[in-house]
Amino acid sequence: MADRRPVETLVERDDGVVFRMRGAGGGDGLPHDLVHVLVEQELRVTDGVWGCVAEGVVWGSMRHVSGRQPPHAAERSGRLKKERAARVRKAEGLADLVGRLASGTSLLPGEVARSGHAPEALDRAAACLVSATARWAAMAPGERWTLSWPAPPHHRSSAGRSRAARGRPGR
């Protein structure tokens, strides 16, 4: 469908391993993966979807492109997915909540309090999504949006960052 074209994300971890990730998105709305990185960065959620990627999780939508994966990478990814399942679900809920705030959708009583974040922080994250949506809509086909995610302290390389580049080949 025109408004749900696949969006491609290139993920380069500190260790030089590169993955290609396909996700839903396209049209003028922000892709789900981009919403996650923006919300998780703004709210300093280090153990959500992108924190897991930085730690070595490989989601089912990720395909290895280049770089040598560390020994036992699949086992580590599986273990981290299990250990972090509750935190990833919480990050999913936060991304949804902030997305609804950004779009002006009414929230249920107590949702903000249950999020574990101050209302002001959630409002800042929603404003970040509003701004990002305008930037996304203005991007040309094939244009990239590059974001950095801080690597876990015990994994910092000389580069010190994991990178995700967003392209828009279908637009």
Side-chain angles (χ1 to χ4, degrees):
M1 297 177 351
D3 63 344
R4 299 296 288 173
R5 284 186 300 262
V7 174
E8 196 167 80
T9 302
L10 190 64
V11 178
E12 181 183 345
R13 293 191 321 218
D14 286 19
D15 60 5
V17 179
V18 178
F19 295 92
R20 192 168 303 284
M21 194 156 118
R22 296 204 22 116
D28 291 333
L30 290 175
H32 183 71
D33 295 327
L34 183 54
V35 169
H36 264 284
V37 74
L38 295 170
V39 169
E40 290 176 20
Q41 281 182 336
E42 187 65 34
L43 295 176
R44 293 178 176 85
V45 176
T46 60
D47 55 2
V49 172
W50 288 100
C52 286
V53 170
E55 286 277 348
V57 166
V58 178
W59 304 113
S61 60
M62 296 170 68
R63 298 292 171 251
H64 182 253
V65 173
S66 65
R68 186 171 185 272
Q69 295 194 60
H72 312 289
E75 292 87 354
R76 176 176 171 75
S77 175
R79 181 177 45 78
L80 286 170
K81 283 179 188 177
K82 286 178 186 173
E83 288 174 3
R84 306 252 175 100
R87 289 179 248 170
V88 169
R89 279 192 303 275
K90 184 172 181 176
E92 288 286 352
L94 276 174
D96 176 66
L97 175 70
V98 173
R100 287 184 291 131
L101 280 171
S103 69
T105 303
S106 296
L107 302 179
L108 297 172
E111 276 190 283
V112 169
R114 285 190 303 273
S115 76
H117 292 273
E120 300 79 20
L122 295 171
D123 287 341
R124 282 192 306 274
C128 176
L129 288 187
V130 169
S131 175
T133 299
R135 178 178 175 187
W136 179 258
M139 289 177 70
E143 190 174 350
R144 289 179 178 236
W145 184 339
T146 302
L147 298 164
S148 294
W149 185 267
H154 59 282
H155 281 109
R156 293 206 188 270
S157 67
S158 59
R161 311 288 280 184
S162 292
R163 292 173 293 283
R166 305 226 173 257
R168 298 199 52 186
R171 183 134 194 232

